[in-house]
Amino acid sequence: MADIRRLPTPVAEVWDWQLHGACRGENTSLFFHPDGERGPARARRQTAAKAVCARCPVLDACLKHALSVREPYGVWGGMSEEERARLIAAEPAAVAAGV
């Protein structure tokens, strides 16, 4: 479960970027894996989700959010949960600073 203490305050300006995401209206199952999904099926789903992210006007804001709150699940900002975990492990200070 995500640590909600890291979530931004409930101010519209902080969350407004979500209204412009290319993922709005997409099925959430594209971005979040079902229990037990592995191998090629997971890779295909993540590739499809990242294709949506690639055309997203708020990609950077989405990734910054996912990194700052340590979002543990799904594709956010064009990165899978595994990719974000590796980035956080490799550069914890940069991630904490919101870079």
Side-chain angles (χ1 to χ4, degrees), residues 30-33 42 45-54 56 58-68 70-91 95 99:
L30 180 62
F31 299 92
F32 299 94
H33 66 83
R42 188 169 185 153
R45 183 193 46 75
Q46 287 180 341
T47 298
K50 290 176 183 182
V52 173
C53 295
C56 186
V58 294
L59 177 87
D60 293 337
C62 182
L63 180 58
K64 182 177 178 181
H65 165 76
L67 292 171
S68 69
R70 303 283 208 278
E71 179 58 56
Y73 303 108
V75 173
W76 290 76
M79 294 184 83
S80 69
E81 53 210 52
E82 297 86 8
E83 292 165 333
R84 290 191 310 277
R86 283 194 300 271
L87 180 61
I88 290 167
E91 301 181 45
V95 170
V99 176

Side-chain angles (χ1 to χ4, degrees), residues 13-45:
E13 295 81 28
V14 176
W15 294 93
D16 191 51
W17 61 268
Q18 293 183 1
L19 299 174
H20 308 287
C23 60
R24 285 186 60 87
E26 295 283 344
N27 191 322
T28 57
S29 65
L30 180 62
F31 299 92
F32 299 94
H33 66 83
D35 288 340
E37 182 185 56
R38 302 274 188 272
R42 188 169 185 153
R44 282 191 302 273
R45 183 193 46 75

